[in-house]
Amino acid sequence: MLRAAFWLTALVFLPVGLFLYFLPPTAATVLGVSPLWLARVAGGLIAAWGAFLLVGGARSDGTAVFALAAGNLLTVAALVPPALRLADTLPAPVRLGMLALAGLLTLLAVAGLLALPSGRSRI
């Protein structure tokens, strides 16, 4: 279950990071992203985080699980306030998508923490 939490989270972050990194200018104007270099930097960081999650899923320890949960919960903390505060200006599908993504990342963070193997050794 822990490995699934890592890989499912990576499947969220890698495509989003790559999309932002290679964001075409037409999509940038539709999304209202300006300047474009900021989206590229954010995309690179998000893609690197997704790659870390893929590697962390292969060999997960307490530090990697903490990083998974912290990263997911920080992303949730960044998504939920604008989705709630900008309810009248955001289109309904975008708002619903932001809240659904926040819910998925919260569930994956909790699943990762609950599936953390105990520190006791098996003898």
Side-chain angles (χ1 to χ4, degrees), residues 31-82:
L31 295 174
V33 175
S34 179
L36 192 56
W37 66 266
L38 187 59
R40 303 258 163 112
V41 169
L45 289 173
I46 292 170
W49 177 248
F52 166 77
L53 290 171
L54 283 177
V55 173
R59 177 176 277 192
S60 55
D61 58 352
T63 305
V65 172
F66 174 75
L68 166 79
N72 284 3
L73 295 176
L74 284 172
T75 304
V76 168
L79 287 174
V80 170

Side-chain angles (χ1 to χ4, degrees), residues 5-14 16 46 49 53 67-80 97-113:
F6 271 95
W7 288 352
L8 288 173
T9 304
L11 286 176
V12 170
F13 282 107
L14 271 175
V16 170
I46 292 170
W49 177 248
L53 290 171
L68 166 79
N72 284 3
L73 295 176
L74 284 172
T75 304
V76 168
L79 287 174
V80 170
M98 289 172 68
L99 292 174
L101 180 61
L104 174 68
L105 291 176
T106 301
L107 288 175
L108 290 171
V110 170
L113 289 174

